[in-house]
Amino acid sequence: MKFIKIDRSAWNREQYFTHYLKQQTSFSLTCDIDVQKILQILKKKRMRFYPAFIYMVTQIVNGDEVFRTCFNENKELGYWEQMIPSYTIFDNESKMFSSIWTETTSDFATFHKQYELDVQKWNGTEELFPKMPVPPNTFPISMLPWSHFTAFNLNINQMDDFLLPIITAGKYIEKYGVLTLPVTIQAHHAVCDGYHATTFMNKLQFLADQCENWV
């Protein structure tokens, strides 16, 4: 997958990038997403919600280079042409989780099928990264289905080197007459602002609302 380097001398974000990278400023935003409609449609089609969530998030990330901007292995700043989701799966027997990845595809049914094959093959290994090698163009997604949280924060040492978004979802519950899912995006302010994080949430809600067009 192609990594496109950013010419920082001509980059309109350079002063923001330099300022917030020096400060090592990161932030998180948590919103409740209405998932009642998509859950109903997935149930009718006997499909799972987690791969649908991963699919939606990946579509948003791949639609905006802000969410694909990072350093490569040579510490060069740029963005990947396309990202692959690296997501956690939980083994009920050992109570351990693993992080695996599934190739990106524009067709949800194809992605859902490959997701199920990957989970079946790699779950229960009691390894953190059982599916190797991990591609360099991955970004992290996780789900905590045991808690409907109102905020979530993940602390990373040397956050200045990690610029990609971290997406975490929780347990969906009935709220105000609909089923809502808490979703947190954690971002580095050097490459992502509150506007971008809010746009992410709005796009996520839009995809959930328009699920009949892609499920």
Side-chain angles (χ1 to χ4, degrees):
M1 185 53 59
K2 185 177 180 182
F3 183 80
I4 302 166
K5 290 189 288 185
I6 293 174
D7 179 4
R8 295 179 60 177
S9 66
W11 192 29
N12 63 354
R13 193 177 175 83
E14 175 61 24
Q15 61 178 312
Y16 301 88
F17 178 80
T18 302
H19 177 75
Y20 289 116
L21 188 69
K22 183 178 180 180
Q23 284 191 346
Q24 297 188 28
T25 303
S26 63
F27 68 94
S28 60
L29 174 69
T30 301
C31 294
D32 276 332
I33 302 298
D34 180 350
V35 293
Q36 184 150 317
K37 181 179 180 180
I38 188 173
L39 285 170
Q40 291 172 346
I41 289 180
L42 288 169
K43 184 177 180 180
K44 289 179 181 178
K45 296 196 174 186
R46 297 182 179 180
M47 289 177 155
R48 299 184 184 184
F49 175 70
Y50 191 30
F53 175 74
I54 296 169
Y55 174 87
M56 289 190 290
V57 169
T58 304
Q59 295 302 303
I60 298 169
V61 167
N62 282 330
D64 193 335
E65 67 182 53
V66 165
F67 303 126
R68 292 179 274 126
T69 300
C70 60
F71 291 109
N72 65 10
E73 59 183 7
N74 297 319
K75 301 300 181 181
E76 297 169 316
L77 182 68
Y79 56 92
W80 291 103
E81 196 171 40
Q82 192 175 60
M83 300 294 291
I84 298 173
S86 175
Y87 54 92
T88 57
I89 55 176
F90 187 74
D91 179 31
N92 284 316
E93 195 168 313
S94 66
K95 309 303 180 188
M96 301 288 285
F97 75 90
S98 297
S99 182
I100 63 173
W101 52 274
T102 298
E103 283 285 357
T104 305
T105 174
S106 59
D107 179 64
F108 173 62
T110 302
F111 178 81
H112 190 281
K113 182 178 180 180
Q114 188 57 53
Y115 162 89
E116 290 194 313
L117 291 173
D118 282 335
V119 172
Q120 183 180 9
K121 181 175 182 179
W122 301 109
N123 200 18
T125 62
E126 297 188 26
E127 294 181 30
L128 182 56
F129 300 107
K131 187 179 179 181
M132 297 294 287
V134 179
N137 57 319
T138 59
F139 72 99
I141 300 176
S142 62
M143 180 170 280
L144 307 177
W146 313 279
S147 174
H148 186 92
F149 51 73
T150 57
F152 182 86
N153 189 66
L154 184 66
N155 300 308
I156 300 178
N157 190 26
Q158 296 180 328
M159 185 71 181
D160 56 316
D161 289 330
F162 191 86
L163 305 179
L164 294 171
I166 302 170
I167 314 299
T168 308
K171 177 182 179 181
Y172 56 80
I173 62 170
E174 185 173 345
K175 190 175 182 180
Y176 307 124
V178 298
L179 294 173
T180 62
L181 176 81
V183 177
T184 295
I185 178 171
Q186 186 157 313
H188 201 303
H189 208 350
V191 296
C192 181
D193 302 328
Y195 167 79
H196 304 108
T198 303
T199 299
F200 173 91
M201 293 297 180
N202 291 339
K203 289 180 178 179
L204 185 60
Q205 185 63 71
F206 177 81
L207 286 173
D209 291 341
Q210 301 297 318
C211 56
E212 70 273 12
N213 295 328
W214 56 268
V215 170

